Every structure is written in structure tokens, then in C-alpha cells.
Amino acid sequence: MPKQWFIEYNVPPHFVWAVGCLALPLLMNSQTLAAQTSQPQALTAAQSELVVVVRHAEKGTDDPADPSLSTAGVKRAEALADALVDAGVGAIVTTHLKRTQATAAPLATKLGIKPVVLVVKRGETAAHIADVVAAVNAARTTKKGTVLVVGHSNTLPLIVKALSGVTVSNICDSQHADLFVLSIVNPRSIDSPTAKLIKLKYGDADPPFAAECK
């Protein structure tokens, strides 16, 4: 298991977080992280390799099998693009489902990136996680820059675990605002990197969780 550090920080609603060249000090020092909240800015690229992992934005009710984004989801997708437009994103990984592709679309359009679209099949979660890790490592090997991964509530914790070794809480159905920033600080080792992870919030705040989800 790789070495890892995990810092969780809840950025207030409507805040867009700045990591930039301060990413490594912030990841190492939660007090410094808290001190930087006075000025909302866009996320900017760090010197280390960054992987950003988010769940898809809020989904609509148009198609139970493969829904598009709701109005709130479209707004969140735009917020994600605003947050990451200066983060040095050079690769985007989504699933084949509409809601993950639509979540990444505003950023992909702004940056002129064609996302890597992975087909996820029912009952083949482990294989999908392996595909995500392979896609991220391929982007890192070719020095694409920051990698954005857009997943689902049931895959996001597994993706974070696979990439960082850090165990994060399960994602509730109403939970869409989490943004995980993983800093790969040992880029020479693709298979066993040293990782630092912070959990942030972006866009509108999530509604209160249902009792069974706490």
C-alpha cells in the first residue's frame, strides 16, 4: 500500500478552491489549508501530478436507465469547469453513461479535450476500477498533466482507494459536491506512488443526508 496522507476540509457553499503552487504545502498542513479560505479562486495546477476525482452531477428523470443531468446538475457541471479550468487538466476519464460525460463536458469543451470514455458493465465493478487506474496511469506516463476522473457513487470511493490507498466514506445518493484532489508526489513509480489526498467541496452545497446515509 502506498504512503498516504488524508486531509478533509469542507469549503463553504459557492466556494471554488485554490491549490495552485501551494498544493503540496496545503496537503501537508491542514492549518495552512484552513488559512487560505478568505479568497475564493479557481483551482490552479501544482508542480506535482494531480488527479481529481468527482462523482457525476445531479441526474434528471428523463431516462431511468441512462438519465441526463438535471438543471441543478448542469449548473454543477459548469461549476466544476470553473473550478478546474486553470488546474492544468490534460486528460479526462468518464464512463459511457450520459451523466458522467455531461458532468465533464463543460470543462472538456473549454480545454479542447476529448475524454477517455470507459464502458462500465453491471457486475464488473472491479474490472472497471482497474480500467480507470490504467487510464490514469497512461495519462501520467505520457505527462498529460492533471487528470479528472468522473465516476459514480458506488465507484468513487473505490477509485480513490485504488489510486491513493486512502479509505473514504461511502457516497450518499444526494451527495454530489465532494471533490477529491490526489497529489502523486512520487511520479517515478506508476504502480506504487506516494499519494496525498484532500477532500474539498465545490458548487452548491448538498442537501442534508437521509438518516440511513449518515
Side-chain angles (χ1 to χ4, degrees), residues 34-101:
Q36 300 298 322
T37 61
S38 59
Q39 297 295 328
Q41 303 177 47
L43 187 67
T44 54
Q47 295 301 312
S48 63
E49 296 180 2
L50 298 182
V51 180
V52 178
V53 185
V54 299
R55 182 193 178 192
H56 63 77
E58 291 88 338
K59 60 187 178 182
T61 58
D62 56 326
D63 181 354
D66 188 11
S68 304
L69 295 184
S70 66
T71 300
V74 171
K75 181 180 179 182
R76 186 175 300 282
E78 293 289 352
L80 181 64
D82 290 341
L84 299 180
V85 68
D86 295 317
V89 173
I92 298 173
V93 181
T94 75
T95 70
H96 71 285
L97 296 170
K98 293 177 185 176
R99 53 194 181 274
T100 58
Q101 295 189 67

Side-chain angles (χ1 to χ4, degrees), residues 44-52 84 86-93 107 111 113 135-149 182-184 187 190:
T44 54
Q47 295 301 312
S48 63
E49 296 180 2
L50 298 182
V51 180
V52 178
L84 299 180
D86 295 317
V89 173
I92 298 173
V93 181
L107 180 64
L111 299 179
I113 295 173
V136 170
N137 284 340
R140 292 180 54 219
T141 301
T142 54
K143 301 186 183 303
K144 292 289 188 180
T146 300
V147 183
L148 169 65
V149 179
L182 168 63
S183 175
I184 306 295
I190 295 295

